[in-house]
Amino acid sequence: MDLMIHERRDEADGVVSLTLGRADGGELPAWAPGAHVDVTLADDLVRQYSLCSDPGDRQRWRLGVLREPESRGGSEHVFDKLHDGDIVEVGEPRNHFALEPAPHYVFVAGGIGITPILPMVAAAEAAGADWTLLYGGRARSSMAFREELVAYGDRVVLAPQDEVGLLDLVGLLAVPRPDTLVYACGPAPMLDAVESLLTGWRPGSLRVERFVPKAVEGTGSEGFEVAFLTSGITATVPPDRSILTVAEEVGIPALWSCREGTCGTCETPLLSGRAEHCDSLLTDEEKADQNTLFICVSRAERGCPRLELDL
Protein backbone atom coordinates (compact mmCIF):
# COMPACT_ATOMS: atom_id res chain seq x y z
CA MET A 1 0.00 0.00 0.00
CA ASP A 2 1.13 3.56 -0.67
CA LEU A 3 1.53 5.65 2.47
CA MET A 4 2.39 9.29 2.94
CA ILE A 5 5.14 10.53 5.22
CA HIS A 6 3.24 12.86 7.55
CA GLU A 7 6.28 13.70 9.65
CA ARG A 8 9.98 13.07 9.48
CA ARG A 9 11.64 13.85 12.80
CA ASP A 10 15.16 13.71 14.22
CA GLU A 11 15.03 11.40 17.25
CA ALA A 12 18.74 11.19 18.14
CA ASP A 13 22.15 11.53 16.53
CA GLY A 14 21.87 9.46 13.36
CA VAL A 15 18.27 8.36 13.97
CA VAL A 16 15.09 9.67 12.34
CA SER A 17 11.50 8.60 12.69
CA LEU A 18 8.97 8.50 9.88
CA THR A 19 5.29 8.81 10.75
CA LEU A 20 3.21 7.29 7.96
CA GLY A 21 -0.48 7.24 7.12
CA ARG A 22 -2.91 6.97 4.25
CA ALA A 23 -3.22 10.13 2.22
CA ASP A 24 -7.02 9.93 2.61
CA GLY A 25 -6.82 9.45 6.38
CA GLY A 26 -8.19 5.90 6.21
CA GLU A 27 -7.45 3.11 8.67
CA LEU A 28 -4.24 1.12 8.55
CA PRO A 29 -4.06 -2.64 9.16
CA ALA A 30 -3.97 -3.80 12.77
CA TRP A 31 -0.67 -4.86 14.30
CA ALA A 32 0.78 -5.96 17.64
CA PRO A 33 4.04 -5.16 19.46
CA GLY A 34 7.05 -6.72 17.75
CA ALA A 35 5.69 -6.33 14.21
CA HIS A 36 7.69 -4.96 11.31
CA VAL A 37 6.90 -3.91 7.75
CA ASP A 38 8.68 -4.04 4.42
CA VAL A 39 9.31 -0.59 2.97
CA THR A 40 10.08 -0.35 -0.75
CA LEU A 41 12.46 2.57 -1.06
CA ALA A 42 13.34 2.14 -4.73
CA ASP A 43 13.49 -0.60 -7.35
CA ASP A 44 15.23 -3.63 -5.78
CA LEU A 45 15.66 -1.70 -2.52
CA VAL A 46 13.40 -3.13 0.18
CA ARG A 47 14.12 -2.81 3.89
CA GLN A 48 12.37 -4.00 7.04
CA TYR A 49 11.62 -1.58 9.87
CA SER A 50 9.93 -2.24 13.21
CA LEU A 51 6.72 -0.42 14.03
CA CYS A 52 7.32 1.66 17.14
CA SER A 53 4.10 3.62 17.58
CA ASP A 54 0.88 2.83 19.44
CA PRO A 55 -0.86 -0.26 17.99
CA GLY A 56 -4.17 1.33 18.99
CA ASP A 57 -3.63 4.22 16.56
CA ARG A 58 -5.03 2.94 13.26
CA GLN A 59 -4.28 6.20 11.40
CA ARG A 60 -0.53 6.46 11.96
CA TRP A 61 2.46 4.15 11.90
CA ARG A 62 5.89 5.23 13.10
CA LEU A 63 9.22 3.75 12.05
CA GLY A 64 12.66 4.46 13.48
CA VAL A 65 15.63 4.40 11.10
CA LEU A 66 19.32 4.42 11.98
CA ARG A 67 21.80 5.85 9.51
CA GLU A 68 24.21 2.97 9.06
CA PRO A 69 27.85 3.99 8.57
CA GLU A 70 28.22 1.20 5.99
CA SER A 71 24.76 1.51 4.47
CA ARG A 72 23.85 -0.84 1.63
CA GLY A 73 21.56 1.89 0.35
CA GLY A 74 18.52 1.67 2.61
CA SER A 75 19.25 4.08 5.44
CA GLU A 76 21.13 6.36 3.05
CA HIS A 77 17.99 6.60 0.91
CA VAL A 78 15.81 7.37 3.93
CA PHE A 79 18.09 10.11 5.22
CA ASP A 80 18.93 11.72 1.90
CA LYS A 81 15.76 11.35 -0.15
CA LEU A 82 12.65 10.99 2.01
CA HIS A 83 10.80 14.04 3.31
CA ASP A 84 7.39 15.09 4.60
CA GLY A 85 4.72 14.51 1.95
CA ASP A 86 6.62 11.80 0.06
CA ILE A 87 4.82 8.55 -0.77
CA VAL A 88 6.40 5.16 0.03
CA GLU A 89 5.20 1.62 -0.60
CA VAL A 90 4.74 -0.30 2.65
CA GLY A 91 3.78 -3.94 3.12
CA GLU A 92 1.42 -5.55 5.61
CA PRO A 93 2.73 -5.97 9.19
CA ARG A 94 4.46 -9.27 9.98
CA ASN A 95 5.44 -10.45 13.43
CA HIS A 96 8.10 -13.01 14.36
CA PHE A 97 8.87 -11.21 17.63
CA ALA A 98 5.45 -11.22 19.25
CA LEU A 99 4.97 -10.26 22.89
CA GLU A 100 3.66 -13.33 24.67
CA PRO A 101 1.63 -13.03 27.92
CA ALA A 102 3.75 -13.28 31.07
CA PRO A 103 3.65 -11.91 34.63
CA HIS A 104 7.27 -10.70 34.41
CA TYR A 105 9.40 -9.32 31.57
CA VAL A 106 13.00 -8.25 31.13
CA PHE A 107 13.59 -6.10 28.04
CA VAL A 108 17.09 -5.47 26.70
CA ALA A 109 17.65 -3.00 23.86
CA GLY A 110 20.80 -1.80 22.18
CA GLY A 111 20.79 1.22 19.86
CA ILE A 112 18.07 1.11 17.22
CA GLY A 113 16.93 -2.16 18.81
CA ILE A 114 14.73 0.00 21.02
CA THR A 115 12.18 0.33 18.20
CA PRO A 116 10.33 -3.01 18.59
CA ILE A 117 10.71 -2.79 22.37
CA LEU A 118 8.89 0.57 22.73
CA PRO A 119 5.36 -0.78 22.11
CA MET A 120 6.21 -3.86 24.16
CA VAL A 121 6.93 -1.91 27.35
CA ALA A 122 3.74 0.08 26.81
CA ALA A 123 1.77 -3.15 26.44
CA ALA A 124 3.43 -4.71 29.51
CA GLU A 125 2.63 -1.59 31.53
CA ALA A 126 -0.99 -1.59 30.36
CA ALA A 127 -1.33 -5.27 31.27
CA GLY A 128 -0.08 -4.62 34.80
CA ALA A 129 2.94 -6.89 34.35
CA ASP A 130 6.17 -6.51 36.29
CA TRP A 131 8.87 -5.39 33.86
CA THR A 132 12.25 -3.70 33.51
CA LEU A 133 14.13 -2.31 30.51
CA LEU A 134 17.89 -2.03 30.13
CA TYR A 135 18.62 0.26 27.18
CA GLY A 136 22.17 0.84 25.96
CA GLY A 137 23.74 3.04 23.31
CA ARG A 138 27.06 4.57 22.33
CA ALA A 139 26.14 7.90 23.94
CA ARG A 140 23.02 9.43 25.44
CA SER A 141 22.64 11.68 22.40
CA SER A 142 22.49 8.62 20.11
CA MET A 143 19.70 6.89 22.07
CA ALA A 144 16.39 7.49 20.31
CA PHE A 145 13.03 7.87 22.06
CA ARG A 146 14.64 8.19 25.49
CA GLU A 147 12.32 11.08 26.38
CA GLU A 148 9.30 8.79 25.93
CA LEU A 149 10.77 6.32 28.40
CA VAL A 150 11.19 8.84 31.21
CA ALA A 151 7.53 8.42 32.14
CA TYR A 152 8.22 4.85 33.29
CA GLY A 153 10.59 5.98 36.04
CA ASP A 154 13.09 3.50 37.46
CA ARG A 155 11.65 0.61 35.44
CA VAL A 156 13.90 1.93 32.65
CA VAL A 157 17.68 1.99 33.00
CA LEU A 158 19.50 4.05 30.38
CA ALA A 159 23.10 2.94 29.98
CA PRO A 160 25.13 5.12 27.56
CA GLN A 161 28.42 3.36 26.95
CA ASP A 162 30.51 6.54 27.17
CA GLU A 163 29.14 7.10 30.68
CA VAL A 164 28.81 3.64 32.24
CA GLY A 165 30.63 1.23 29.92
CA LEU A 166 29.11 -1.95 28.54
CA LEU A 167 25.66 -3.12 29.60
CA ASP A 168 25.67 -5.04 32.88
CA LEU A 169 24.03 -8.11 31.41
CA VAL A 170 25.54 -10.42 34.02
CA GLY A 171 23.96 -8.47 36.87
CA LEU A 172 20.64 -8.49 35.04
CA LEU A 173 20.48 -12.05 33.76
CA ALA A 174 22.92 -14.28 35.65
CA VAL A 175 20.23 -15.53 38.06
CA PRO A 176 17.29 -17.28 36.35
CA ARG A 177 13.88 -15.80 37.13
CA PRO A 178 10.73 -17.93 37.14
CA ASP A 179 7.74 -16.91 35.04
CA THR A 180 9.85 -14.31 33.22
CA LEU A 181 10.25 -13.72 29.49
CA VAL A 182 13.29 -11.90 28.16
CA TYR A 183 12.98 -9.85 24.96
CA ALA A 184 16.19 -8.56 23.40
CA CYS A 185 16.96 -6.59 20.24
CA GLY A 186 20.17 -4.86 19.23
CA PRO A 187 23.72 -5.49 17.99
CA ALA A 188 24.83 -9.09 17.46
CA PRO A 189 27.48 -9.13 20.24
CA MET A 190 24.88 -7.99 22.76
CA LEU A 191 22.39 -10.63 21.63
CA ASP A 192 25.03 -13.35 21.70
CA ALA A 193 25.89 -12.36 25.28
CA VAL A 194 22.22 -12.44 26.29
CA GLU A 195 21.79 -15.89 24.75
CA SER A 196 24.84 -17.27 26.56
CA LEU A 197 23.62 -15.95 29.92
CA LEU A 198 20.20 -17.53 29.53
CA THR A 199 21.41 -21.09 29.04
CA GLY A 200 20.44 -21.84 32.64
CA TRP A 201 16.99 -20.31 32.38
CA ARG A 202 13.78 -22.18 31.71
CA PRO A 203 13.61 -23.22 28.02
CA GLY A 204 11.61 -20.73 26.00
CA SER A 205 12.44 -17.78 28.26
CA LEU A 206 14.24 -15.80 25.53
CA ARG A 207 12.88 -13.98 22.48
CA VAL A 208 15.41 -12.29 20.19
CA GLU A 209 15.13 -10.16 17.07
CA ARG A 210 18.22 -9.70 14.92
CA PHE A 211 18.80 -7.02 12.31
CA VAL A 212 21.68 -8.99 10.79
CA PRO A 213 21.79 -12.78 10.39
CA LYS A 214 23.19 -14.88 13.16
CA ALA A 215 26.40 -16.73 12.34
CA VAL A 216 25.52 -20.36 11.57
CA GLU A 217 27.88 -23.31 11.35
CA GLY A 218 28.31 -24.88 7.91
CA THR A 219 25.21 -26.55 6.53
CA GLY A 220 24.90 -30.26 7.10
CA SER A 221 23.53 -31.24 3.72
CA GLU A 222 24.80 -31.66 0.23
CA GLY A 223 22.27 -31.77 -2.56
CA PHE A 224 18.74 -32.86 -1.68
CA GLU A 225 15.31 -33.16 -3.28
CA VAL A 226 12.43 -30.78 -2.63
CA ALA A 227 8.84 -31.55 -3.54
CA PHE A 228 6.84 -28.35 -3.96
CA LEU A 229 3.55 -30.14 -3.38
CA THR A 230 1.19 -27.24 -4.05
CA SER A 231 2.86 -26.57 -7.40
CA GLY A 232 3.26 -30.27 -8.30
CA ILE A 233 6.97 -29.82 -9.03
CA THR A 234 9.94 -31.76 -7.63
CA ALA A 235 13.47 -30.39 -8.02
CA THR A 236 16.98 -30.95 -6.75
CA VAL A 237 18.63 -28.31 -4.59
CA PRO A 238 22.40 -28.47 -5.15
CA PRO A 239 24.93 -27.45 -2.47
CA ASP A 240 25.51 -24.03 -4.02
CA ARG A 241 21.85 -22.97 -4.30
CA SER A 242 19.06 -22.22 -1.84
CA ILE A 243 15.56 -23.67 -1.94
CA LEU A 244 14.33 -20.18 -2.82
CA THR A 245 16.69 -19.90 -5.79
CA VAL A 246 15.64 -23.32 -7.11
CA ALA A 247 11.96 -22.43 -6.68
CA GLU A 248 12.51 -19.32 -8.79
CA GLU A 249 14.41 -21.31 -11.42
CA VAL A 250 11.54 -23.77 -11.89
CA GLY A 251 8.95 -20.99 -12.10
CA ILE A 252 7.38 -21.19 -8.63
CA PRO A 253 6.38 -17.75 -7.34
CA ALA A 254 7.86 -17.38 -3.87
CA LEU A 255 7.73 -14.25 -1.75
CA TRP A 256 11.02 -13.00 -0.31
CA SER A 257 12.66 -9.83 0.92
CA CYS A 258 15.98 -10.21 2.75
CA ARG A 259 17.38 -13.54 1.46
CA GLU A 260 19.33 -13.88 4.72
CA GLY A 261 16.85 -15.41 7.17
CA THR A 262 15.97 -12.30 9.17
CA CYS A 263 12.71 -10.88 7.78
CA GLY A 264 10.39 -13.91 7.67
CA THR A 265 8.84 -13.19 4.28
CA CYS A 266 9.67 -16.57 2.76
CA GLU A 267 8.39 -18.72 5.63
CA THR A 268 6.96 -21.95 4.20
CA PRO A 269 5.15 -24.87 5.89
CA LEU A 270 7.29 -28.02 6.09
CA LEU A 271 5.06 -31.03 5.44
CA SER A 272 7.62 -33.84 5.48
CA GLY A 273 11.32 -34.27 6.13
CA ARG A 274 13.67 -32.57 8.56
CA ALA A 275 15.18 -29.15 7.94
CA GLU A 276 18.46 -27.70 9.07
CA HIS A 277 17.30 -24.27 10.20
CA CYS A 278 19.77 -21.53 9.32
CA ASP A 279 17.52 -18.55 10.03
CA SER A 280 17.71 -15.99 12.83
CA LEU A 281 13.99 -16.11 13.65
CA LEU A 282 12.83 -19.45 15.03
CA THR A 283 13.30 -20.38 18.67
CA ASP A 284 14.98 -23.68 19.52
CA GLU A 285 11.56 -25.11 20.31
CA GLU A 286 10.15 -24.00 16.97
CA LYS A 287 13.12 -25.49 15.15
CA ALA A 288 12.60 -28.80 16.94
CA ASP A 289 8.92 -28.85 15.94
CA GLN A 290 9.94 -29.00 12.24
CA ASN A 291 6.69 -27.38 11.11
CA THR A 292 8.10 -24.52 9.06
CA LEU A 293 11.29 -23.22 7.46
CA PHE A 294 12.66 -20.18 5.66
CA ILE A 295 13.54 -21.21 2.15
CA CYS A 296 16.10 -18.45 1.59
CA VAL A 297 18.62 -20.03 3.98
CA SER A 298 17.43 -23.36 5.42
CA ARG A 299 18.24 -26.73 3.93
CA ALA A 300 17.62 -30.42 4.50
CA GLU A 301 19.14 -31.86 7.65
CA ARG A 302 22.12 -34.17 7.13
CA GLY A 303 20.81 -37.62 6.24
CA CYS A 304 17.44 -36.31 5.06
CA PRO A 305 17.26 -36.75 1.24
CA ARG A 306 13.90 -35.05 0.67
CA LEU A 307 11.75 -32.20 1.93
CA GLU A 308 8.09 -31.72 1.11
CA LEU A 309 6.87 -28.13 1.20
CA ASP A 310 3.51 -26.38 0.96
CA LEU A 311 4.59 -24.18 -1.94
Side-chain angles (χ1 to χ4, degrees), residues 78-156:
V78 170
F79 273 77
D80 295 345
K81 297 184 179 181
L82 293 186
H83 305 282
D84 290 359
D86 286 346
I87 302 296
V88 291
E89 182 182 342
V90 182
E92 297 278 335
R94 295 197 308 275
N95 201 337
H96 291 280
F97 193 45
L99 184 68
E100 303 293 339
H104 310 283
Y105 297 99
V106 174
F107 299 106
V108 184
I112 198 63
I114 191 62
T115 50
I117 299 296
L118 274 178
M120 289 187 176
V121 299
E125 181 75 3
D130 173 57
W131 63 272
T132 58
L133 164 63
L134 178 60
Y135 175 23
R138 296 187 311 277
R140 193 174 297 270
S141 62
S142 71
M143 298 171 67
F145 310 114
R146 63 189 184 278
E147 295 86 357
E148 296 180 23
L149 295 168
V150 171
Y152 296 116
D154 59 7
R155 288 177 180 265
V156 176

